[in-house]
């Protein structure tokens, strides 16, 4: 397959907000690709290079040969050159990379050069989200969508999932299971309208957990080998030796746990979220200060000593968790009345936490999905939104980037949909942080506003929403205020415009 076919498909995907049209474009492309090309095509249109780091940045690509007039590059040609780039190391590697880049870009047309430059620097954003690509893989391979989706969630790899669908078929997809040491996309919760409604809707067989003001972690252990992953599946094992040490003491050989971690004050109350997140970027030295230790709290067990539990009901998964880590379970009550659930909710808030999670004890673990059997209850509505731009402040905020332009994620893979602005809740420290950090994500600016790539996620508290013709989504936030920034999340994990609209009366 010619590289130009992929470039054209990328442009077509970027030009439409229709999920149906995106899927059709991807399916047509995969239909025409050779079986061995499909994993590479899927990877590139997902913004990923199979070889990993190529040792090439924007500076290396600032001076490339004049574009070719006619397209000649095939997928296999480019993939081979990427392999050579990734393998360039040692003395003379810089000259070798330059030679390979000249060979690659010298054979590429103008639009192909633009595509390759964005792909190689991680800037390829055309709206081919994972969900759209999964639909296309299922459609092109003729395999059941549920099997393809499940395989993707368990492998965490779209190219691998595509290869299984094309080469292995339904049986190979169905055989995909958990692998200890390989992170799996976490299950997410749906916001509840009220605690009473959540308990009555999912009950009577429910568990109500504290919703901690911490950072989501997924822990894997195989013998003495421990891995710790964030919500976005980033491996932070080297930064959290205190968590690793605790997990190594559990009475089991293999386990996968889902939970939260946070640092606590001397009285057991959670310290600021930023204190917890700062540990993820540390050098990984174990501290003697008990207030600096990360404390793990778990609410699910996906695997225990050779047994996958991901498809088992939550009741069984919690039994497994209790059998090995009873002291690390998040505070919970089982089968409470509405009044007892309210008492637990009040206790969570009194302890400094966010609220509670209401979960059906019969539900499986919906990896990577916002399952209806998990509902989160907070005292006010909070959403994770994307910062699209920031306006320069006035008065005492002169010289600082202040008023935020906020966007909700488009579930069909288009750019974020603007839903409002706010400068409420911004402390002096946050104003300084925004002014220092936002220009690093800048796309352009005018006299009043710095416009940014949709990469920074902020948690916003609001009283509700209202219909509005001012913003393209037809909805606007009411009394929005900043709670905190979410460095543990990326834009693909922001709340969708559909979720925001769901608050409309």
């Amino acid at each position: 397959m010619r590289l130009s076919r992929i470039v054209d498909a990328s442009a077509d995907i970027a030009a439409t907000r229709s999920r149906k049209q995106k899927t059709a474009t991807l399916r047509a492309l995969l239909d025409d690709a050779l079986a061995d090309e499909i994993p590479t095509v899927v990877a590139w249109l997902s913004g990923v290079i199979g070889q990993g780091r190529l040792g090439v940045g924007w500076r290396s690509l600032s001076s490339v040969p004049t574009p070719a007039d006619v397209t000649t590059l095939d997928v296999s040609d480019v993939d081979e050159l990427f392999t050579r780039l990734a393998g360039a190391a040692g003395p003379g590697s810089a000259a070798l990379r330059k030679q390979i880049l000249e060979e690659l870009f010298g054979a590429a047309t103008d639009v192909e050069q633009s595509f390759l430059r964005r792909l190689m620097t991680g800037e390829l954003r055309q709206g081919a989200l994972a969900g759209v690509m999964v639909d296309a893989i299922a459609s092109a391979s003729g395999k059941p969508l549920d099997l393809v989706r499940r395989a993707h969630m368990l492998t965490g790899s779209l190219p691998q999932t595509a290869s299984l669908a094309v080469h292995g078929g339904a049986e190979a997809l169905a055989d995909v299971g958990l692998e200890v040491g390989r992170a799996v996309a976490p299950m997410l919760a749906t916001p509840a309208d009220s605690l009473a409604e959540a308990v009555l809707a999912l009950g009577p067989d429910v568990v109500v957990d504290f919703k901690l003001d911490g950072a989501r972690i997924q822990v894997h252990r195989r013998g003495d080998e421990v891995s710790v992953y964030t919500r976005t599946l980033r491996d932070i094992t080297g930064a959290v030796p205190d968590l690793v040490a605790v997990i190594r003491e559990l009475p089991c050989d293999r386990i996968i746990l889902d939970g939260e971690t946070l640092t606590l004050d001397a009285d057991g109350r959670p310290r600021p979220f930023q204190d917890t997140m700062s540990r993820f970027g540390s050098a990984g030295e174990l501290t003697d200060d008990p207030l600096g230790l990360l404390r793990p709290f778990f609410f699910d067990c996906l695997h225990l000593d050779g047994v996958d539990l991901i498809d088992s009901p939550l009741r069984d998964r919690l039994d497994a968790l209790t059998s090995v880590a009873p002291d690390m379970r998040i505070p919970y009550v089982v089968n409470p009345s509405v009044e007892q659930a309210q008492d637990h909710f009040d206790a969570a808030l009194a302890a400094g936490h966010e609220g509670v999670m209401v979960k059906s004890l019969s539900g499986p673990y919906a990896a990577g999905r916002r399952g209806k059997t998990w509902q989160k209850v907070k005292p006010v509505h909070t959403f994770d939104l994307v910062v699209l731009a920031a306006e320069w402040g006035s008065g005492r905020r002169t010289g600082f980037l202040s008023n935020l332009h906020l966007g909700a994620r488009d579930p069909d893979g288009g750019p974020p949909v603007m839903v409002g602005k706010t400068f409420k809740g911004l402390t002096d420290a946050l104003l300084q942080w925004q002014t220092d950090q936002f220009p690093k994500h800048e796309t352009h600016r005018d006299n009043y506003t710095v416009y940014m790539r949709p990469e920074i996620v902020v948690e916003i508290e609001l009283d509700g929403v209202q219909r509005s013709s001012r913003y393209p989504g037809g909805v606007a936030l009411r009394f929005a205020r900043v709670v905190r920034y979410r460095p543990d999340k990326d834009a693909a994990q922001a709340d969708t415009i559909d979720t925001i609209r769901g608050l409309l009366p």
Side-chain angles (χ1 to χ4, degrees):
M1 173 177 282
R2 292 288 193 192
L3 173 64
S4 58
R5 281 293 314 279
I6 300 176
V7 175
D8 291 342
S10 176
D12 290 344
I13 292 167
T16 180
R17 294 183 62 178
S18 167
R19 184 187 183 98
K20 183 177 180 180
Q21 186 57 50
K22 291 178 190 289
T23 304
T25 299
L26 289 170
R27 177 186 174 162
L29 187 70
L30 298 182
D31 282 342
D32 291 344
L34 298 175
D36 290 341
E37 294 174 331
I38 286 179
T40 300
V41 172
V42 167
W44 290 356
L45 282 177
S46 302
V48 175
I49 293 175
Q51 290 83 354
R53 296 179 64 86
L54 301 180
V56 174
W58 276 109
R59 180 172 297 180
S60 304
L61 301 174
S62 61
S63 177
V64 295
T66 302
D69 294 327
V70 180
T71 180
T72 59
L73 286 171
D74 288 335
V75 170
S76 58
D77 297 330
V78 178
D79 197 46
E80 180 183 351
L81 289 169
F82 281 170
T83 299
R84 288 169 57 191
L85 274 173
S93 59
L96 178 57
R97 287 196 194 94
K98 182 178 180 181
Q99 176 188 331
I100 296 170
L101 288 174
E102 289 178 350
E103 181 180 348
L104 173 60
F105 280 82
T109 64
D110 184 54
V111 291
E112 289 172 343
Q113 284 193 358
S114 175
F115 175 86
L116 289 170
R117 187 178 287 109
R118 288 180 290 127
L119 175 63
M120 297 169 72
T121 56
E123 295 292 329
L124 185 64
R125 295 182 178 87
Q126 75 268 300
L129 296 179
V132 179
M133 187 64 80
V134 165
D135 289 349
I137 293 170
S139 181
S141 66
K143 302 304 182 297
L145 177 59
D146 286 348
L147 282 182
V148 176
R149 181 182 290 131
R150 183 177 186 275
H152 171 237
M153 296 307 175
L154 295 181
T155 63
S157 168
L158 282 167
Q160 184 179 349
T161 301
S163 182
L164 288 168
V166 172
H167 296 295
E171 184 177 348
L173 291 169
D175 285 344
V176 175
L178 290 171
E179 181 179 316
V180 180
R182 182 179 66 196
V184 60
M187 181 173 177
L188 305 174
T190 300
D193 291 332
S194 72
L195 177 60
E197 288 186 24
V199 172
L200 294 174
L202 298 180
D205 202 12
V206 299
V207 62
V208 180
D209 292 334
F210 275 14
K211 189 178 190 312
L212 303 187
D213 188 18
R216 186 82 173 263
I217 54 170
Q218 186 179 125
V219 173
H220 294 238
R221 174 184 162 189
R222 181 171 49 209
D224 286 335
E225 183 180 343
V226 175
S227 299
V228 183
Y229 302 94
T230 65
R231 179 192 299 270
T232 57
L233 309 187
R234 181 166 64 97
D235 189 336
I236 56 165
T237 308
V240 290
D242 33 4
L243 295 181
V244 172
V246 169
I247 300 305
R248 281 182 177 151
E249 296 299 317
L250 295 179
C252 60
D253 181 65
R254 294 177 179 236
I255 197 167
I256 301 176
L257 296 169
D258 192 3
E260 298 263 348
T261 188
L262 68 166
T263 54
L264 301 175
D265 283 334
D267 61 359
R269 294 178 64 84
R271 299 179 73 187
F273 180 76
Q274 288 76 9
D275 289 357
T276 296
M277 290 307 302
S278 68
R279 282 292 315 279
F280 292 1
S282 66
E285 296 181 0
L286 193 58
T287 176
D288 293 329
D289 178 10
L291 299 185
L293 287 175
L294 286 168
R295 307 298 177 93
F297 295 88
F298 297 110
F299 49 73
D300 219 319
C301 179
L302 309 186
H303 178 96
L304 180 60
D305 285 338
V307 180
D308 284 350
L309 299 168
I310 192 168
D311 295 321
S312 300
L314 177 59
R315 180 186 303 103
D316 295 348
R317 305 199 306 271
L318 292 178
D319 286 344
L321 171 59
T322 303
S323 71
V324 293
D327 296 335
M328 297 182 200
R329 273 196 66 174
I330 277 179
Y332 66 96
V333 291
V334 177
N335 297 336
S337 64
V338 172
E339 292 75 17
Q340 290 168 329
Q342 183 64 51
D343 290 343
H344 198 58
F345 177 82
D346 293 342
L349 297 184
H353 299 298
E354 294 184 317
V356 296
M357 300 279 288
V358 183
K359 303 176 183 178
S360 168
L361 285 169
S362 61
Y365 191 92
R369 300 170 66 184
R370 198 172 290 280
K372 294 182 178 179
T373 59
W374 285 15
Q375 297 191 24
K376 56 184 177 183
V377 184
K378 296 183 180 181
V380 293
H381 299 292
T382 62
F383 295 96
D384 295 317
L385 302 176
V386 181
V387 180
L388 305 178
E391 299 172 4
W392 292 104
S394 59
R396 74 173 188 86
R397 296 188 177 191
T398 298
F400 293 98
L401 285 172
S402 176
N403 200 21
L404 305 179
H405 294 202
L406 302 169
R409 179 167 58 86
D410 180 354
D412 293 330
V417 182
M418 190 169 177
V419 290
K421 301 180 182 181
T422 190
F423 55 82
K424 304 286 188 182
L426 292 173
T427 64
D428 290 345
L430 282 180
L431 288 169
Q432 183 64 61
W433 181 85
Q434 291 179 177
T435 306
D436 293 341
Q437 294 298 317
F438 284 4
K440 299 177 182 179
H441 303 266
E442 177 180 345
T443 58
H444 64 287
R445 67 174 67 191
D446 55 31
N447 290 336
Y448 307 101
T449 308
V450 173
Y451 298 90
M452 299 157 58
R453 296 187 296 273
E455 297 170 339
I456 294 178
V457 177
V458 62
E459 184 176 347
I460 298 294
E461 180 181 279
L462 54 138
D463 291 351
V465 300
Q466 61 190 24
R467 299 185 189 281
S468 172
S469 59
R470 182 178 182 182
Y471 299 115
V475 63
L477 310 180
R478 296 183 65 249
F479 305 109
R481 45 207 175 270
V482 172
V483 177
R484 57 180 171 171
Y485 280 93
R486 297 303 303 257
D488 58 325
K489 290 189 174 185
D490 57 32
Q493 294 175 309
D495 285 298
T496 67
I497 184 65
D498 291 342
T499 302
I500 302 296
R501 289 173 181 150
L503 288 184
L504 287 171

